[in-house]
Amino acid sequence: HDWFLGLMSSVILLNSCLVTYEATNGDAEQRLRPLFLAALMFYALELGCRVLRSGVNIFSFDRLGFVNWAFLFVVLEGGFRLALVPLCVPALKKSAFVSNMAQISVTLTGTRLVVIMSVVNLTWTETHWFQWMSGGVIMANSIVMGIELDSPSPLWWWVNQAMLMFFLFEISARIRLRGCASFLCDPDDRVWNIMDFLIVAFGVLDSWTDRIA
């Protein structure tokens, strides 16, 4: 169902934001641990339900099979890092090995997002109300950037993450509905499309990938 795919996407994106926040705030590890465990249990439950429904055949060696293998790695790595390491080998918590595995795990969850975006119904993103909402978020983002300079607060980090996730979803939906060739080569909109894509890509690199690394 589309609603569950939307929920899955939201959990993945929120978990990515939390990993980024943890990477930039070393004292947040214990406070965020329950949220990481909740996300891990959600991933394990979702993967387990799919195995019960379709059997182990979901772990094939085609494109979708690779995504399922990747998500299995995410679940096993999360169990190792969040449950086994703190209980059995706490000295490894700050090791480079555990940190690198966490980075790989976050990256691999992105493969699940790609699959979701390829199958979910996104035609509603072309309606007038969604276009108006996109314009509102753009205006709100400009206002927040101005306020943030005058009134610094940790709250603005979360607001910026929410807006970045919205922009990432919006541009992904446009690419999915129009196709990459049309998105990049449309004579009327290609300049704006490429500019929007670069802005979102640099935002993701700056806020998530670069900080995690």
Side-chain angles (χ1 to χ4, degrees), residues 31-124:
R31 289 183 285 119
L32 296 178
R33 179 178 164 79
L35 296 177
F36 288 135
L37 286 171
L40 175 62
M41 287 188 288
F42 181 82
Y43 293 160
L45 178 63
E46 189 270 346
L47 183 61
C49 288
R50 286 195 288 122
V51 170
L52 289 175
R53 179 182 178 183
S54 304
V56 295
N57 291 330
I58 66 171
F59 299 109
S60 57
F61 293 95
D62 55 9
R63 182 175 63 89
L64 291 178
F66 167 77
V67 173
N68 291 325
W69 280 110
F71 218 67
L72 177 62
F73 173 86
V74 170
V75 171
L76 295 177
E77 184 278 329
F80 172 76
R81 175 169 47 89
L82 297 173
L84 187 62
V85 168
L87 291 176
C88 302
V89 279
L92 284 178
K93 287 177 65 176
K94 300 295 184 180
S95 68
F97 171 76
V98 171
S99 177
N100 290 336
M101 288 299 99
Q103 294 174 26
I104 294 172
S105 183
V106 171
T107 302
L108 289 178
T109 56
T111 61
R112 186 82 174 104
L113 281 178
V114 172
V115 172
I116 290 174
M117 291 297 294
S118 69
V119 299
V120 72
N121 180 18
L122 297 172
T123 54
W124 55 273

Side-chain angles (χ1 to χ4, degrees), residues 178-197:
R178 300 182 185 182
C180 290
S182 178
F183 180 84
L184 295 174
C185 302
D186 188 303
D188 296 324
D189 297 324
R190 63 185 175 188
V191 174
W192 293 107
N193 289 339
I194 293 174
M195 185 171 66
D196 289 345
F197 177 82

Side-chain angles (χ1 to χ4, degrees), residues 3-25:
W3 69 267
F4 184 80
L5 294 177
L7 176 62
M8 188 71 182
S9 300
S10 300
V11 173
I12 291 173
L13 288 172
L14 178 59
N15 188 64
S16 299
C17 287
L18 293 176
V19 170
T20 305
Y21 184 79
E22 181 189 31
T24 55
N25 296 271

